[in-house]
mmCIF file with all atom_site columns, all heavy atoms in Angstrom:
data_model
loop_
_atom_site.group_PDB
_atom_site.id
_atom_site.type_symbol
_atom_site.label_atom_id
_atom_site.label_alt_id
_atom_site.label_comp_id
_atom_site.label_asym_id
_atom_site.label_entity_id
_atom_site.label_seq_id
_atom_site.pdbx_PDB_ins_code
_atom_site.Cartn_x
_atom_site.Cartn_y
_atom_site.Cartn_z
_atom_site.occupancy
_atom_site.B_iso_or_equiv
_atom_site.pdbx_formal_charge
_atom_site.auth_seq_id
_atom_site.auth_comp_id
_atom_site.auth_asym_id
_atom_site.auth_atom_id
_atom_site.pdbx_PDB_model_num
ATOM 1   N N   . TRP Q 1 1  ? -101.793 45.073 79.130 1.00 0.00 ? 1  TRP Q N   1
ATOM 2   C CA  . TRP Q 1 1  ? -101.298 45.711 80.543 1.00 0.00 ? 1  TRP Q CA  1
ATOM 3   C C   . TRP Q 1 1  ? -99.883  45.380 80.690 1.00 0.00 ? 1  TRP Q C   1
ATOM 4   O O   . TRP Q 1 1  ? -99.107  46.352 81.170 1.00 0.00 ? 1  TRP Q O   1
ATOM 5   C CB  . TRP Q 1 1  ? -102.278 45.032 81.620 1.00 0.00 ? 1  TRP Q CB  1
ATOM 6   C CG  . TRP Q 1 1  ? -101.914 45.767 83.000 1.00 0.00 ? 1  TRP Q CG  1
ATOM 7   C CD1 . TRP Q 1 1  ? -102.538 46.822 83.408 1.00 0.00 ? 1  TRP Q CD1 1
ATOM 8   C CD2 . TRP Q 1 1  ? -100.920 45.456 83.988 1.00 0.00 ? 1  TRP Q CD2 1
ATOM 9   N NE1 . TRP Q 1 1  ? -101.981 47.295 84.632 1.00 0.00 ? 1  TRP Q NE1 1
ATOM 10  C CE2 . TRP Q 1 1  ? -101.035 46.351 84.898 1.00 0.00 ? 1  TRP Q CE2 1
ATOM 11  C CE3 . TRP Q 1 1  ? -99.917  44.446 83.923 1.00 0.00 ? 1  TRP Q CE3 1
ATOM 12  C CZ2 . TRP Q 1 1  ? -100.147 46.278 86.082 1.00 0.00 ? 1  TRP Q CZ2 1
ATOM 13  C CZ3 . TRP Q 1 1  ? -99.055  44.403 85.150 1.00 0.00 ? 1  TRP Q CZ3 1
ATOM 14  C CH2 . TRP Q 1 1  ? -99.149  45.268 86.039 1.00 0.00 ? 1  TRP Q CH2 1
ATOM 15  N N   . LEU Q 1 2  ? -99.411  44.262 80.343 1.00 0.00 ? 2  LEU Q N   1
ATOM 16  C CA  . LEU Q 1 2  ? -97.914  43.878 80.606 1.00 0.00 ? 2  LEU Q CA  1
ATOM 17  C C   . LEU Q 1 2  ? -97.069  44.622 79.643 1.00 0.00 ? 2  LEU Q C   1
ATOM 18  O O   . LEU Q 1 2  ? -95.977  45.092 79.940 1.00 0.00 ? 2  LEU Q O   1
ATOM 19  C CB  . LEU Q 1 2  ? -97.685  42.478 80.458 1.00 0.00 ? 2  LEU Q CB  1
ATOM 20  C CG  . LEU Q 1 2  ? -98.302  41.611 81.693 1.00 0.00 ? 2  LEU Q CG  1
ATOM 21  C CD1 . LEU Q 1 2  ? -98.053  40.135 81.457 1.00 0.00 ? 2  LEU Q CD1 1
ATOM 22  C CD2 . LEU Q 1 2  ? -97.563  42.060 83.011 1.00 0.00 ? 2  LEU Q CD2 1
ATOM 23  N N   . CYS Q 1 3  ? -97.555  44.804 78.404 1.00 0.00 ? 3  CYS Q N   1
ATOM 24  C CA  . CYS Q 1 3  ? -96.828  45.536 77.464 1.00 0.00 ? 3  CYS Q CA  1
ATOM 25  C C   . CYS Q 1 3  ? -96.605  47.102 77.987 1.00 0.00 ? 3  CYS Q C   1
ATOM 26  O O   . CYS Q 1 3  ? -95.510  47.571 77.752 1.00 0.00 ? 3  CYS Q O   1
ATOM 27  C CB  . CYS Q 1 3  ? -97.595  45.703 75.984 1.00 0.00 ? 3  CYS Q CB  1
ATOM 28  S SG  . CYS Q 1 3  ? -97.593  44.141 75.136 1.00 0.00 ? 3  CYS Q SG  1
ATOM 29  N N   . THR Q 1 4  ? -97.655  47.622 78.485 1.00 0.00 ? 4  THR Q N   1
ATOM 30  C CA  . THR Q 1 4  ? -97.614  48.920 79.051 1.00 0.00 ? 4  THR Q CA  1
ATOM 31  C C   . THR Q 1 4  ? -96.681  49.130 80.197 1.00 0.00 ? 4  THR Q C   1
ATOM 32  O O   . THR Q 1 4  ? -95.921  50.001 80.350 1.00 0.00 ? 4  THR Q O   1
ATOM 33  C CB  . THR Q 1 4  ? -99.034  49.442 79.358 1.00 0.00 ? 4  THR Q CB  1
ATOM 34  O OG1 . THR Q 1 4  ? -99.971  49.351 78.223 1.00 0.00 ? 4  THR Q OG1 1
ATOM 35  C CG2 . THR Q 1 4  ? -99.010  50.945 79.918 1.00 0.00 ? 4  THR Q CG2 1
ATOM 36  N N   . ALA Q 1 5  ? -96.779  48.000 81.023 1.00 0.00 ? 5  ALA Q N   1
ATOM 37  C CA  . ALA Q 1 5  ? -95.832  47.949 82.300 1.00 0.00 ? 5  ALA Q CA  1
ATOM 38  C C   . ALA Q 1 5  ? -94.391  47.986 81.911 1.00 0.00 ? 5  ALA Q C   1
ATOM 39  O O   . ALA Q 1 5  ? -93.575  48.645 82.381 1.00 0.00 ? 5  ALA Q O   1
ATOM 40  C CB  . ALA Q 1 5  ? -96.179  46.695 83.090 1.00 0.00 ? 5  ALA Q CB  1
ATOM 41  N N   . VAL Q 1 6  ? -94.056  47.129 80.797 1.00 0.00 ? 6  VAL Q N   1
ATOM 42  C CA  . VAL Q 1 6  ? -92.751  47.082 80.280 1.00 0.00 ? 6  VAL Q CA  1
ATOM 43  C C   . VAL Q 1 6  ? -92.315  48.437 79.712 1.00 0.00 ? 6  VAL Q C   1
ATOM 44  O O   . VAL Q 1 6  ? -91.155  49.013 79.981 1.00 0.00 ? 6  VAL Q O   1
ATOM 45  C CB  . VAL Q 1 6  ? -92.422  46.061 79.202 1.00 0.00 ? 6  VAL Q CB  1
ATOM 46  C CG1 . VAL Q 1 6  ? -91.002  46.087 78.723 1.00 0.00 ? 6  VAL Q CG1 1
ATOM 47  C CG2 . VAL Q 1 6  ? -92.748  44.737 79.916 1.00 0.00 ? 6  VAL Q CG2 1
ATOM 48  N N   . GLY Q 1 7  ? -93.132  49.052 78.861 1.00 0.00 ? 7  GLY Q N   1
ATOM 49  C CA  . GLY Q 1 7  ? -92.999  50.336 78.475 1.00 0.00 ? 7  GLY Q CA  1
ATOM 50  C C   . GLY Q 1 7  ? -92.732  51.430 79.530 1.00 0.00 ? 7  GLY Q C   1
ATOM 51  O O   . GLY Q 1 7  ? -91.772  52.251 79.469 1.00 0.00 ? 7  GLY Q O   1
ATOM 52  N N   . ASP Q 1 8  ? -93.478  51.362 80.614 1.00 0.00 ? 8  ASP Q N   1
ATOM 53  C CA  . ASP Q 1 8  ? -93.345  52.374 81.685 1.00 0.00 ? 8  ASP Q CA  1
ATOM 54  C C   . ASP Q 1 8  ? -91.973  52.277 82.384 1.00 0.00 ? 8  ASP Q C   1
ATOM 55  O O   . ASP Q 1 8  ? -91.213  53.188 82.635 1.00 0.00 ? 8  ASP Q O   1
ATOM 56  C CB  . ASP Q 1 8  ? -94.358  52.147 82.812 1.00 0.00 ? 8  ASP Q CB  1
ATOM 57  C CG  . ASP Q 1 8  ? -95.698  52.622 82.348 1.00 0.00 ? 8  ASP Q CG  1
ATOM 58  O OD1 . ASP Q 1 8  ? -95.844  53.389 81.433 1.00 0.00 ? 8  ASP Q OD1 1
ATOM 59  O OD2 . ASP Q 1 8  ? -96.689  52.169 83.121 1.00 0.00 ? 8  ASP Q OD2 1
ATOM 60  N N   . SER Q 1 9  ? -91.542  50.773 82.438 1.00 0.00 ? 9  SER Q N   1
ATOM 61  C CA  . SER Q 1 9  ? -90.244  50.675 83.100 1.00 0.00 ? 9  SER Q CA  1
ATOM 62  C C   . SER Q 1 9  ? -89.068  51.227 82.212 1.00 0.00 ? 9  SER Q C   1
ATOM 63  O O   . SER Q 1 9  ? -88.028  51.694 82.790 1.00 0.00 ? 9  SER Q O   1
ATOM 64  C CB  . SER Q 1 9  ? -89.898  49.066 83.272 1.00 0.00 ? 9  SER Q CB  1
ATOM 65  O OG  . SER Q 1 9  ? -89.837  48.384 82.159 1.00 0.00 ? 9  SER Q OG  1
ATOM 66  N N   . TYR Q 1 10 ? -89.155  51.173 80.938 1.00 0.00 ? 10 TYR Q N   1
ATOM 67  C CA  . TYR Q 1 10 ? -88.072  51.685 80.065 1.00 0.00 ? 10 TYR Q CA  1
ATOM 68  C C   . TYR Q 1 10 ? -88.215  53.166 80.098 1.00 0.00 ? 10 TYR Q C   1
ATOM 69  O O   . TYR Q 1 10 ? -87.234  53.958 80.107 1.00 0.00 ? 10 TYR Q O   1
ATOM 70  C CB  . TYR Q 1 10 ? -88.234  51.212 78.633 1.00 0.00 ? 10 TYR Q CB  1
ATOM 71  C CG  . TYR Q 1 10 ? -87.495  49.881 78.434 1.00 0.00 ? 10 TYR Q CG  1
ATOM 72  C CD1 . TYR Q 1 10 ? -88.260  48.756 78.235 1.00 0.00 ? 10 TYR Q CD1 1
ATOM 73  C CD2 . TYR Q 1 10 ? -86.234  49.819 78.194 1.00 0.00 ? 10 TYR Q CD2 1
ATOM 74  C CE1 . TYR Q 1 10 ? -87.652  47.525 78.034 1.00 0.00 ? 10 TYR Q CE1 1
ATOM 75  C CE2 . TYR Q 1 10 ? -85.500  48.685 78.066 1.00 0.00 ? 10 TYR Q CE2 1
ATOM 76  C CZ  . TYR Q 1 10 ? -86.391  47.379 77.959 1.00 0.00 ? 10 TYR Q CZ  1
ATOM 77  O OH  . TYR Q 1 10 ? -85.666  46.248 77.679 1.00 0.00 ? 10 TYR Q OH  1
ATOM 78  N N   . ARG Q 1 11 ? -89.437  53.759 80.027 1.00 0.00 ? 11 ARG Q N   1
ATOM 79  C CA  . ARG Q 1 11 ? -89.587  55.254 80.043 1.00 0.00 ? 11 ARG Q CA  1
ATOM 80  C C   . ARG Q 1 11 ? -88.949  55.848 81.243 1.00 0.00 ? 11 ARG Q C   1
ATOM 81  O O   . ARG Q 1 11 ? -88.366  56.913 81.357 1.00 0.00 ? 11 ARG Q O   1
ATOM 82  C CB  . ARG Q 1 11 ? -91.073  55.556 79.892 1.00 0.00 ? 11 ARG Q CB  1
ATOM 83  C CG  . ARG Q 1 11 ? -91.383  57.153 79.967 1.00 0.00 ? 11 ARG Q CG  1
ATOM 84  C CD  . ARG Q 1 11 ? -92.811  57.462 79.788 1.00 0.00 ? 11 ARG Q CD  1
ATOM 85  N NE  . ARG Q 1 11 ? -93.722  56.747 80.682 1.00 0.00 ? 11 ARG Q NE  1
ATOM 86  C CZ  . ARG Q 1 11 ? -93.997  57.304 81.910 1.00 0.00 ? 11 ARG Q CZ  1
ATOM 87  N NH1 . ARG Q 1 11 ? -93.375  58.464 82.214 1.00 0.00 ? 11 ARG Q NH1 1
ATOM 88  N NH2 . ARG Q 1 11 ? -94.771  56.724 82.582 1.00 0.00 ? 11 ARG Q NH2 1
ATOM 89  N N   . LYS Q 1 12 ? -89.187  55.106 82.481 1.00 0.00 ? 12 LYS Q N   1
ATOM 90  C CA  . LYS Q 1 12 ? -88.685  55.723 83.762 1.00 0.00 ? 12 LYS Q CA  1
ATOM 91  C C   . LYS Q 1 12 ? -87.207  55.248 84.135 1.00 0.00 ? 12 LYS Q C   1
ATOM 92  O O   . LYS Q 1 12 ? -86.663  55.720 85.011 1.00 0.00 ? 12 LYS Q O   1
ATOM 93  C CB  . LYS Q 1 12 ? -89.711  55.221 84.878 1.00 0.00 ? 12 LYS Q CB  1
ATOM 94  C CG  . LYS Q 1 12 ? -91.058  55.721 84.664 1.00 0.00 ? 12 LYS Q CG  1
ATOM 95  C CD  . LYS Q 1 12 ? -91.999  55.101 85.667 1.00 0.00 ? 12 LYS Q CD  1
ATOM 96  C CE  . LYS Q 1 12 ? -93.406  55.561 85.554 1.00 0.00 ? 12 LYS Q CE  1
ATOM 97  N NZ  . LYS Q 1 12 ? -94.403  54.959 86.607 1.00 0.00 ? 12 LYS Q NZ  1
ATOM 98  N N   . GLY Q 1 13 ? -86.748  54.135 83.348 1.00 0.00 ? 13 GLY Q N   1
ATOM 99  C CA  . GLY Q 1 13 ? -85.442  53.643 83.802 1.00 0.00 ? 13 GLY Q CA  1
ATOM 100 C C   . GLY Q 1 13 ? -85.453  52.969 85.072 1.00 0.00 ? 13 GLY Q C   1
ATOM 101 O O   . GLY Q 1 13 ? -84.552  53.130 85.840 1.00 0.00 ? 13 GLY Q O   1
ATOM 102 N N   . ILE Q 1 14 ? -86.389  52.067 85.322 1.00 0.00 ? 14 ILE Q N   1
ATOM 103 C CA  . ILE Q 1 14 ? -86.630  51.258 86.452 1.00 0.00 ? 14 ILE Q CA  1
ATOM 104 C C   . ILE Q 1 14 ? -86.634  49.753 86.254 1.00 0.00 ? 14 ILE Q C   1
ATOM 105 O O   . ILE Q 1 14 ? -86.667  49.388 85.090 1.00 0.00 ? 14 ILE Q O   1
ATOM 106 C CB  . ILE Q 1 14 ? -87.933  51.729 87.315 1.00 0.00 ? 14 ILE Q CB  1
ATOM 107 C CG1 . ILE Q 1 14 ? -89.090  51.514 86.431 1.00 0.00 ? 14 ILE Q CG1 1
ATOM 108 C CG2 . ILE Q 1 14 ? -87.698  53.252 87.700 1.00 0.00 ? 14 ILE Q CG2 1
ATOM 109 C CD1 . ILE Q 1 14 ? -90.417  51.747 87.238 1.00 0.00 ? 14 ILE Q CD1 1
ATOM 110 N N   . ASP Q 1 15 ? -86.653  49.041 87.281 1.00 0.00 ? 15 ASP Q N   1
ATOM 111 C CA  . ASP Q 1 15 ? -86.884  47.539 87.240 1.00 0.00 ? 15 ASP Q CA  1
ATOM 112 C C   . ASP Q 1 15 ? -85.761  46.956 86.428 1.00 0.00 ? 15 ASP Q C   1
ATOM 113 O O   . ASP Q 1 15 ? -85.963  45.946 85.653 1.00 0.00 ? 15 ASP Q O   1
ATOM 114 C CB  . ASP Q 1 15 ? -88.200  47.235 86.665 1.00 0.00 ? 15 ASP Q CB  1
ATOM 115 C CG  . ASP Q 1 15 ? -89.353  47.654 87.621 1.00 0.00 ? 15 ASP Q CG  1
ATOM 116 O OD1 . ASP Q 1 15 ? -89.088  47.771 88.795 1.00 0.00 ? 15 ASP Q OD1 1
ATOM 117 O OD2 . ASP Q 1 15 ? -90.603  47.646 87.030 1.00 0.00 ? 15 ASP Q OD2 1
ATOM 118 N N   . GLY Q 1 16 ? -84.565  47.464 86.516 1.00 0.00 ? 16 GLY Q N   1
ATOM 119 C CA  . GLY Q 1 16 ? -83.389  46.894 85.853 1.00 0.00 ? 16 GLY Q CA  1
ATOM 120 C C   . GLY Q 1 16 ? -83.238  47.278 84.352 1.00 0.00 ? 16 GLY Q C   1
ATOM 121 O O   . GLY Q 1 16 ? -82.334  46.715 83.636 1.00 0.00 ? 16 GLY Q O   1
ATOM 122 N N   . HIS Q 1 17 ? -84.131  48.284 83.889 1.00 0.00 ? 17 HIS Q N   1
ATOM 123 C CA  . HIS Q 1 17 ? -84.023  48.689 82.554 1.00 0.00 ? 17 HIS Q CA  1
ATOM 124 C C   . HIS Q 1 17 ? -83.470  50.090 82.525 1.00 0.00 ? 17 HIS Q C   1
ATOM 125 O O   . HIS Q 1 17 ? -83.693  50.829 83.361 1.00 0.00 ? 17 HIS Q O   1
ATOM 126 C CB  . HIS Q 1 17 ? -85.433  48.765 81.795 1.00 0.00 ? 17 HIS Q CB  1
ATOM 127 C CG  . HIS Q 1 17 ? -86.059  47.342 81.816 1.00 0.00 ? 17 HIS Q CG  1
ATOM 128 N ND1 . HIS Q 1 17 ? -85.601  46.499 81.060 1.00 0.00 ? 17 HIS Q ND1 1
ATOM 129 C CD2 . HIS Q 1 17 ? -87.230  46.997 82.278 1.00 0.00 ? 17 HIS Q CD2 1
ATOM 130 C CE1 . HIS Q 1 17 ? -86.354  45.388 81.125 1.00 0.00 ? 17 HIS Q CE1 1
ATOM 131 N NE2 . HIS Q 1 17 ? -87.361  45.626 81.966 1.00 0.00 ? 17 HIS Q NE2 1
ATOM 132 N N   . SER Q 1 18 ? -82.559  50.339 81.456 1.00 0.00 ? 18 SER Q N   1
ATOM 133 C CA  . SER Q 1 18 ? -82.101  51.734 81.184 1.00 0.00 ? 18 SER Q CA  1
ATOM 134 C C   . SER Q 1 18 ? -83.277  52.495 80.574 1.00 0.00 ? 18 SER Q C   1
ATOM 135 O O   . SER Q 1 18 ? -84.092  52.101 79.900 1.00 0.00 ? 18 SER Q O   1
ATOM 136 C CB  . SER Q 1 18 ? -80.904  51.639 80.316 1.00 0.00 ? 18 SER Q CB  1
ATOM 137 O OG  . SER Q 1 18 ? -79.862  50.896 80.916 1.00 0.00 ? 18 SER Q OG  1
ATOM 138 N N   . GLU Q 1 19 ? -83.120  53.825 80.878 1.00 0.00 ? 19 GLU Q N   1
ATOM 139 C CA  . GLU Q 1 19 ? -84.185  54.782 80.429 1.00 0.00 ? 19 GLU Q CA  1
ATOM 140 C C   . GLU Q 1 19 ? -83.941  54.785 78.767 1.00 0.00 ? 19 GLU Q C   1
ATOM 141 O O   . GLU Q 1 19 ? -82.965  55.016 78.244 1.00 0.00 ? 19 GLU Q O   1
ATOM 142 C CB  . GLU Q 1 19 ? -83.945  56.146 80.822 1.00 0.00 ? 19 GLU Q CB  1
ATOM 143 C CG  . GLU Q 1 19 ? -84.976  57.170 80.323 1.00 0.00 ? 19 GLU Q CG  1
ATOM 144 C CD  . GLU Q 1 19 ? -84.785  58.581 80.929 1.00 0.00 ? 19 GLU Q CD  1
ATOM 145 O OE1 . GLU Q 1 19 ? -85.129  58.804 82.188 1.00 0.00 ? 19 GLU Q OE1 1
ATOM 146 O OE2 . GLU Q 1 19 ? -84.236  59.366 80.264 1.00 0.00 ? 19 GLU Q OE2 1
ATOM 147 N N   . ASP Q 1 20 ? -85.070  54.523 78.125 1.00 0.00 ? 20 ASP Q N   1
ATOM 148 C CA  . ASP Q 1 20 ? -85.093  54.437 76.564 1.00 0.00 ? 20 ASP Q CA  1
ATOM 149 C C   . ASP Q 1 20 ? -86.473  54.730 76.029 1.00 0.00 ? 20 ASP Q C   1
ATOM 150 O O   . ASP Q 1 20 ? -87.357  53.858 76.039 1.00 0.00 ? 20 ASP Q O   1
ATOM 151 C CB  . ASP Q 1 20 ? -84.531  53.093 76.179 1.00 0.00 ? 20 ASP Q CB  1
ATOM 152 C CG  . ASP Q 1 20 ? -84.235  53.109 74.637 1.00 0.00 ? 20 ASP Q CG  1
ATOM 153 O OD1 . ASP Q 1 20 ? -85.076  53.777 73.830 1.00 0.00 ? 20 ASP Q OD1 1
ATOM 154 O OD2 . ASP Q 1 20 ? -83.311  52.464 74.223 1.00 0.00 ? 20 ASP Q OD2 1
ATOM 155 N N   . TYR Q 1 21 ? -86.623  55.986 75.639 1.00 0.00 ? 21 TYR Q N   1
ATOM 156 C CA  . TYR Q 1 21 ? -87.996  56.461 75.288 1.00 0.00 ? 21 TYR Q CA  1
ATOM 157 C C   . TYR Q 1 21 ? -88.527  55.681 74.001 1.00 0.00 ? 21 TYR Q C   1
ATOM 158 O O   . TYR Q 1 21 ? -89.658  55.348 73.776 1.00 0.00 ? 21 TYR Q O   1
ATOM 159 C CB  . TYR Q 1 21 ? -88.168  57.933 75.028 1.00 0.00 ? 21 TYR Q CB  1
ATOM 160 C CG  . TYR Q 1 21 ? -88.039  58.729 76.246 1.00 0.00 ? 21 TYR Q CG  1
ATOM 161 C CD1 . TYR Q 1 21 ? -87.316  59.849 76.310 1.00 0.00 ? 21 TYR Q CD1 1
ATOM 162 C CD2 . TYR Q 1 21 ? -88.765  58.476 77.372 1.00 0.00 ? 21 TYR Q CD2 1
ATOM 163 C CE1 . TYR Q 1 21 ? -87.257  60.645 77.494 1.00 0.00 ? 21 TYR Q CE1 1
ATOM 164 C CE2 . TYR Q 1 21 ? -88.765  59.172 78.499 1.00 0.00 ? 21 TYR Q CE2 1
ATOM 165 C CZ  . TYR Q 1 21 ? -87.943  60.325 78.626 1.00 0.00 ? 21 TYR Q CZ  1
ATOM 166 O OH  . TYR Q 1 21 ? -87.921  61.081 79.706 1.00 0.00 ? 21 TYR Q OH  1
ATOM 167 N N   . ALA Q 1 22 ? -87.691  55.459 73.065 1.00 0.00 ? 22 ALA Q N   1
ATOM 168 C CA  . ALA Q 1 22 ? -87.921  54.781 71.854 1.00 0.00 ? 22 ALA Q CA  1
ATOM 169 C C   . ALA Q 1 22 ? -88.429  53.351 72.143 1.00 0.00 ? 22 ALA Q C   1
ATOM 170 O O   . ALA Q 1 22 ? -89.446  52.830 71.492 1.00 0.00 ? 22 ALA Q O   1
ATOM 171 C CB  . ALA Q 1 22 ? -86.766  54.731 70.947 1.00 0.00 ? 22 ALA Q CB  1
ATOM 172 N N   . VAL Q 1 23 ? -87.728  52.656 72.913 1.00 0.00 ? 23 VAL Q N   1
ATOM 173 C CA  . VAL Q 1 23 ? -88.139  51.265 73.347 1.00 0.00 ? 23 VAL Q CA  1
ATOM 174 C C   . VAL Q 1 23 ? -89.452  51.257 74.044 1.00 0.00 ? 23 VAL Q C   1
ATOM 175 O O   . VAL Q 1 23 ? -90.502  50.572 73.716 1.00 0.00 ? 23 VAL Q O   1
ATOM 176 C CB  . VAL Q 1 23 ? -87.014  50.591 74.274 1.00 0.00 ? 23 VAL Q CB  1
ATOM 177 C CG1 . VAL Q 1 23 ? -87.596  49.145 74.661 1.00 0.00 ? 23 VAL Q CG1 1
ATOM 178 C CG2 . VAL Q 1 23 ? -85.720  50.309 73.357 1.00 0.00 ? 23 VAL Q CG2 1
ATOM 179 N N   . ALA Q 1 24 ? -89.613  52.280 75.008 1.00 0.00 ? 24 ALA Q N   1
ATOM 180 C CA  . ALA Q 1 24 ? -90.876  52.546 75.749 1.00 0.00 ? 24 ALA Q CA  1
ATOM 181 C C   . ALA Q 1 24 ? -92.017  52.650 74.786 1.00 0.00 ? 24 ALA Q C   1
ATOM 182 O O   . ALA Q 1 24 ? -93.118  52.001 74.882 1.00 0.00 ? 24 ALA Q O   1
ATOM 183 C CB  . ALA Q 1 24 ? -90.767  53.573 76.717 1.00 0.00 ? 24 ALA Q CB  1
ATOM 184 N N   . LEU Q 1 25 ? -91.773  53.335 73.668 1.00 0.00 ? 25 LEU Q N   1
ATOM 185 C CA  . LEU Q 1 25 ? -92.997  53.708 72.808 1.00 0.00 ? 25 LEU Q CA  1
ATOM 186 C C   . LEU Q 1 25 ? -93.218  52.513 71.964 1.00 0.00 ? 25 LEU Q C   1
ATOM 187 O O   . LEU Q 1 25 ? -94.510  52.292 71.659 1.00 0.00 ? 25 LEU Q O   1
ATOM 188 C CB  . LEU Q 1 25 ? -92.373  54.867 71.796 1.00 0.00 ? 25 LEU Q CB  1
ATOM 189 C CG  . LEU Q 1 25 ? -93.454  55.292 70.783 1.00 0.00 ? 25 LEU Q CG  1
ATOM 190 C CD1 . LEU Q 1 25 ? -94.753  55.701 71.345 1.00 0.00 ? 25 LEU Q CD1 1
ATOM 191 C CD2 . LEU Q 1 25 ? -92.868  56.400 69.852 1.00 0.00 ? 25 LEU Q CD2 1
ATOM 192 N N   . SER Q 1 26 ? -92.303  51.682 71.698 1.00 0.00 ? 26 SER Q N   1
ATOM 193 C CA  . SER Q 1 26 ? -92.626  50.434 70.886 1.00 0.00 ? 26 SER Q CA  1
ATOM 194 C C   . SER Q 1 26 ? -93.564  49.567 71.687 1.00 0.00 ? 26 SER Q C   1
ATOM 195 O O   . SER Q 1 26 ? -94.437  48.937 71.039 1.00 0.00 ? 26 SER Q O   1
ATOM 196 C CB  . SER Q 1 26 ? -91.339  49.661 70.542 1.00 0.00 ? 26 SER Q CB  1
ATOM 197 O OG  . SER Q 1 26 ? -90.659  49.112 71.620 1.00 0.00 ? 26 SER Q OG  1
ATOM 198 N N   . TYR Q 1 27 ? -93.332  49.474 72.974 1.00 0.00 ? 27 TYR Q N   1
ATOM 199 C CA  . TYR Q 1 27 ? -94.291  48.702 73.925 1.00 0.00 ? 27 TYR Q CA  1
ATOM 200 C C   . TYR Q 1 27 ? -95.627  49.310 73.980 1.00 0.00 ? 27 TYR Q C   1
ATOM 201 O O   . TYR Q 1 27 ? -96.658  48.629 74.034 1.00 0.00 ? 27 TYR Q O   1
ATOM 202 C CB  . TYR Q 1 27 ? -93.677  48.522 75.274 1.00 0.00 ? 27 TYR Q CB  1
ATOM 203 C CG  . TYR Q 1 27 ? -92.565  47.363 75.350 1.00 0.00 ? 27 TYR Q CG  1
ATOM 204 C CD1 . TYR Q 1 27 ? -91.219  47.805 75.243 1.00 0.00 ? 27 TYR Q CD1 1
ATOM 205 C CD2 . TYR Q 1 27 ? -92.866  46.033 75.318 1.00 0.00 ? 27 TYR Q CD2 1
ATOM 206 C CE1 . TYR Q 1 27 ? -90.284  46.751 75.174 1.00 0.00 ? 27 TYR Q CE1 1
ATOM 207 C CE2 . TYR Q 1 27 ? -91.903  45.087 75.345 1.00 0.00 ? 27 TYR Q CE2 1
ATOM 208 C CZ  . TYR Q 1 27 ? -90.678  45.465 75.321 1.00 0.00 ? 27 TYR Q CZ  1
ATOM 209 O OH  . TYR Q 1 27 ? -89.601  44.445 75.301 1.00 0.00 ? 27 TYR Q OH  1
ATOM 210 N N   . TYR Q 1 28 ? -95.591  50.745 74.089 1.00 0.00 ? 28 TYR Q N   1
ATOM 211 C CA  . TYR Q 1 28 ? -96.961  51.346 74.062 1.00 0.00 ? 28 TYR Q CA  1
ATOM 212 C C   . TYR Q 1 28 ? -97.767  51.088 72.858 1.00 0.00 ? 28 TYR Q C   1
ATOM 213 O O   . TYR Q 1 28 ? -98.967  50.870 72.827 1.00 0.00 ? 28 TYR Q O   1
ATOM 214 C CB  . TYR Q 1 28 ? -96.775  52.842 74.417 1.00 0.00 ? 28 TYR Q CB  1
ATOM 215 C CG  . TYR Q 1 28 ? -96.158  53.178 75.655 1.00 0.00 ? 28 TYR Q CG  1
ATOM 216 C CD1 . TYR Q 1 28 ? -95.413  54.451 75.825 1.00 0.00 ? 28 TYR Q CD1 1
ATOM 217 C CD2 . TYR Q 1 28 ? -96.416  52.526 76.760 1.00 0.00 ? 28 TYR Q CD2 1
ATOM 218 C CE1 . TYR Q 1 28 ? -94.769  54.724 77.020 1.00 0.00 ? 28 TYR Q CE1 1
ATOM 219 C CE2 . TYR Q 1 28 ? -95.864  52.646 78.086 1.00 0.00 ? 28 TYR Q CE2 1
ATOM 220 C CZ  . TYR Q 1 28 ? -95.062  53.989 78.039 1.00 0.00 ? 28 TYR Q CZ  1
ATOM 221 O OH  . TYR Q 1 28 ? -94.560  54.250 79.358 1.00 0.00 ? 28 TYR Q OH  1
ATOM 222 N N   . ASP Q 1 29 ? -97.017  51.197 71.816 1.00 0.00 ? 29 ASP Q N   1
ATOM 223 C CA  . ASP Q 1 29 ? -97.772  51.052 70.419 1.00 0.00 ? 29 ASP Q CA  1
ATOM 224 C C   . ASP Q 1 29 ? -98.083  49.538 70.282 1.00 0.00 ? 29 ASP Q C   1
ATOM 225 O O   . ASP Q 1 29 ? -99.206  49.333 69.622 1.00 0.00 ? 29 ASP Q O   1
ATOM 226 C CB  . ASP Q 1 29 ? -96.660  51.315 69.148 1.00 0.00 ? 29 ASP Q CB  1
ATOM 227 C CG  . ASP Q 1 29 ? -96.541  52.743 69.140 1.00 0.00 ? 29 ASP Q CG  1
ATOM 228 O OD1 . ASP Q 1 29 ? -97.289  53.545 69.681 1.00 0.00 ? 29 ASP Q OD1 1
ATOM 229 O OD2 . ASP Q 1 29 ? -95.558  53.080 68.364 1.00 0.00 ? 29 ASP Q OD2 1
#
């Protein structure tokens, strides 16, 4: 659940993270 939450924050560019689809995907995987 937390891996997915971090991925979501990178995908959306929120919670202090810059938008980065590749990084988001690594957390989803």
Side-chain angles (χ1 to χ4, degrees):
W1 188 89
L2 288 175
C3 291
T4 302
V6 178
D8 286 346
S9 68
Y10 275 105
R11 179 174 59 83
K12 298 174 183 177
I14 59 174
D15 294 339
H17 298 299
S18 299
E19 183 181 284
D20 191 322
Y21 288 136
V23 173
L25 180 57
S26 70
Y27 282 98
Y28 295 151
D29 285 347

